[in-house]
Amino acid sequence: MTNGQMYKWGDKRSSIRELYEYGKARAAELGADSVFDFSLGNPCVPAPDGVTDALVRLIKETDGVTLHGYTSAQGDYTVRHRVAQNLNDRFGGDFTADNIYMTCGAAAGLAIAMRALCEEGDEIILLAPHFPEYEIFVKAAGGKPVTVKFDVDFQIDFDALGACVTPRTKAVIVNSPNNPSGVVYSRDTICRLAAALKGYEKRFDHPIYVVSDEPYRELVYGSALPTFIPSVYAETIICYSFSKSLSLAGERIGYIAVNPSGTCAQEIYTAILGAGRALGYVCAPSLFQRLIAECLDKAPDISAYAQNKDLLYDALVKMGYECVHPDGAFYLFVKAPDGDAGKMSLKAREYGLLIVPGDDFAAKGWVRVAYCVERATIMRALPAFEDLLKGYGDIARK
C-alpha cells in the first residue's frame, strides 16, 4: 500500500497544472492558435544578454568532471560567497557563504524551510491570496497552514492576522510581488508586519519567522519596489529563484538565505542542512549553480511584461471587468462577474481561454491570468474575453 496522503496529492494536480495539461491536449487536438493559454507562469522573454554566452563558455572552458560533478551539499562555496556578496552589495547586510543554501528553485527552498522550522502541530500563517503549494509544503512538514484574508487593497488585513496568531505560530510566508495578484506589499505594510511579529514574539516568548518567497523580486513596474525584509525584520529566511529573473524556470535553480542578524541564524541554517538532507535536496544542479554565479548582475528586460500588463489590464477594464492593478510579477487578477471563479474558468474554456480559478489561492471569486505570453496571443484573445463577459448578460452590466 502507499502513503494515503501522498497518493491524494499525486492523484490531483494543482488547478494550474491541470489547466496547463488540458491546454497542451487541446492545442494538439485543435491547433495552438485555438487555445489561449494563460495558465502557467512560464517566462516568455529570453534570458538576459550574456546568460546563454556564459553557459556556452562554462561548457567549453570547464572540464567535465568539475562542471558536472557534485558540489558541497549546500552548494559550491564560491557560488554561495558570490550570492552573499550580491545581497550585501544590493541591499546591505552581512550575509556570508555560510548563510546561503543552493536549491532546486524556490519551491525546493520553501519545502526545505518548512521542514527545518516545523515540528508537529506548528502553525504557519499564509497570507491570502497565496500560491496553492504553500499548503502542501506546510502539511508535508507536519505543520498546520493558517490562512489570513487580504484587505480591500490586497495588502495584509492586520485585524485578521491578529486573530490567527497563536502560541503555536512558527512563521509567516510572505510573497511580494504576489502570485496571483501581482500586488507589491508597501513598505508600510512590511514595517507593520515586522512590528506586529515583534509584539507576538514578546507575548509568546519565542521567535516568529518570516519566510520570504521571492521569485518575482526583480519583476516590478513603475515606482513599485519590494521591501528587502531582512532590513526591517531580523528573523527572516529568503527563498529565491532565478526562474523569472533569468528566465530559467525549467532549470530549477535558486537559494535559501538565512538572515545572519536573526537570533537563531546558525541554528536555522543547520536545520536547513538537515532538512535538505532528509528531503534528498543536497547539491543543486552544479552547472546552473556556476552559471548564476556568473550572472548575478544580469537584469531581466521586463518591458515585454510591462507592455502585456498595460494592454491586458486596460482592455479588460474597458470591457467592464474588475481587475487588481498589478505592480509586479506577470499575473492579472480578475473578478468573476457572478462571484464564481470555478464557473468562470470552465466557461472560459468554451472560448479557448485558460484562466486559473482563485479558489486554490484562497481568493474565491477571482481568476488569475498569466500574461507572460507573446503579445500576439493577448491581442488574439481579447475578443474571446469580450465574448466571455457578454455571456454573463445582465450580471456583467451591474
Side-chain angles (χ1 to χ4, degrees):
M1 297 294 289
T2 61
N3 180 298
Q5 184 61 73
M6 297 302 123
Y7 181 89
K8 182 179 178 181
W9 287 335
D11 188 48
K12 183 183 182 301
R13 288 183 289 249
S14 73
S15 55
I16 302 169
R17 288 289 177 175
E18 287 287 354
L19 269 176
Y20 176 65
E21 296 300 332
Y22 171 84
K24 288 198 300 182
R26 292 293 285 173
E29 178 184 353
L30 303 175
D33 288 347
S34 299
V35 179
F36 308 112
D37 189 352
F38 298 101
S39 64
L40 196 63
N42 207 16
C44 66
V45 302
D49 290 344
V51 172
T52 300
D53 290 342
L55 181 60
V56 171
R57 186 177 69 253
L58 282 167
I59 292 171
K60 286 183 175 181
E61 297 180 3
T62 310
D63 70 88
V65 174
T66 300
L67 189 62
H68 301 297
Y70 290 125
T71 67
S72 298
Q74 64 266 49
D76 178 79
Y77 177 85
T78 298
V79 174
R80 292 185 288 119
H81 173 73
R82 290 183 183 178
V83 168
Q85 286 302 114
N86 180 260
L87 288 173
N88 294 339
D89 291 344
R90 291 184 63 191
F91 305 111
D94 298 302
F95 289 94
T96 72
D98 292 329
N99 303 122
I100 308 297
Y101 186 102
M102 303 305 299
T103 66
C104 299
L110 287 161
I112 291 170
M114 292 301 101
R115 192 65 175 269
L117 291 176
C118 283
E119 295 186 284
E120 197 69 31
D122 281 347
E123 295 171 358
I124 305 295
I125 288 180
L126 311 181
L127 302 173
H130 63 74
F131 184 52
E133 301 304 276
Y134 289 170
E135 292 199 4
I136 305 296
F137 300 150
V138 172
K139 290 177 180 177
K144 176 185 176 183
V146 178
T147 299
V148 172
K149 68 178 182 178
F150 49 87
D151 70 11
V152 293
D153 296 318
F154 281 80
Q155 300 286 315
I156 300 171
D157 185 323
F158 284 94
D159 289 336
L161 175 67
C164 290
V165 175
T166 76
R168 294 306 305 266
T169 301
K170 181 61 72 72
V172 179
I173 299 180
V174 174
N175 176 221
S176 175
N178 180 257
N179 173 14
S181 71
V183 165
V184 175
Y185 286 145
S186 68
R187 184 169 182 84
D188 178 67
T189 291
I190 295 300
C191 289
R192 284 187 67 188
L193 176 63
L197 294 182
K198 289 173 184 175
Y200 298 134
E201 286 183 344
K202 290 181 180 178
R203 184 190 306 177
F204 301 128
D205 196 30
H206 67 76
I208 298 177
Y209 301 96
V210 166
V211 178
S212 186
D213 179 25
E214 302 188 1
Y216 304 98
R217 184 171 68 204
E218 324 304 337
L219 275 60
V220 290
Y221 311 109
S223 60
L225 185 66
T227 300
F228 188 64
I229 299 179
S231 68
V232 296
Y233 190 68
E235 313 298 345
T236 299
I237 301 165
I238 295 170
C239 295
Y240 186 81
S241 170
F242 293 91
S243 294
K244 277 64 178 181
S245 61
L246 296 185
S247 293
L248 296 174
E251 310 306 344
R252 312 305 291 173
I253 189 68
Y255 62 81
I256 299 171
V258 179
N259 186 9
S261 299
T263 54
C264 301
Q266 185 55 59
E267 180 181 347
I268 293 295
Y269 188 75
T270 301
I272 284 169
L273 296 178
R277 181 182 178 189
L279 291 167
Y281 281 139
V282 297
C283 183
S286 59
L287 170 57
F288 285 91
Q289 285 190 53
R290 292 182 169 88
L291 175 66
I292 63 98
E294 298 284 326
C295 300
L296 289 167
D297 61 342
K298 304 296 183 185
D301 180 0
I302 64 170
S303 59
Y305 297 142
Q307 291 168 10
N308 285 356
K309 168 183 70 73
D310 293 341
L311 170 64
L312 187 62
Y313 177 83
D314 291 346
L316 294 195
V317 168
K318 186 176 181 180
M319 290 176 196
Y321 285 100
E322 181 178 342
C323 307
V324 179
H325 188 273
D327 291 316
F330 39 49
Y331 306 109
L332 184 64
F333 223 30
V334 182
K335 193 170 187 178
D338 66 351
D340 189 333
K343 177 182 174 182
M344 183 179 179
S345 179
L346 286 173
K347 191 176 181 67
R349 294 188 192 188
E350 299 173 15
Y351 302 91
L353 296 168
L354 304 186
I355 54 180
V356 182
D359 299 47
D360 287 356
F361 296 94
K364 290 185 177 182
W366 296 82
V367 296
R368 189 191 79 170
V369 184
Y371 55 80
C372 48
V373 297
E374 296 297 328
R375 183 178 177 83
T377 300
I378 296 176
M379 293 294 294
R380 289 188 295 105
L382 290 180
F385 276 108
E386 191 158 18
D387 290 340
L388 171 62
L389 188 62
K390 287 178 181 177
Y392 281 93
D394 292 340
I395 295 174
R397 288 188 285 273
K398 288 182 179 178

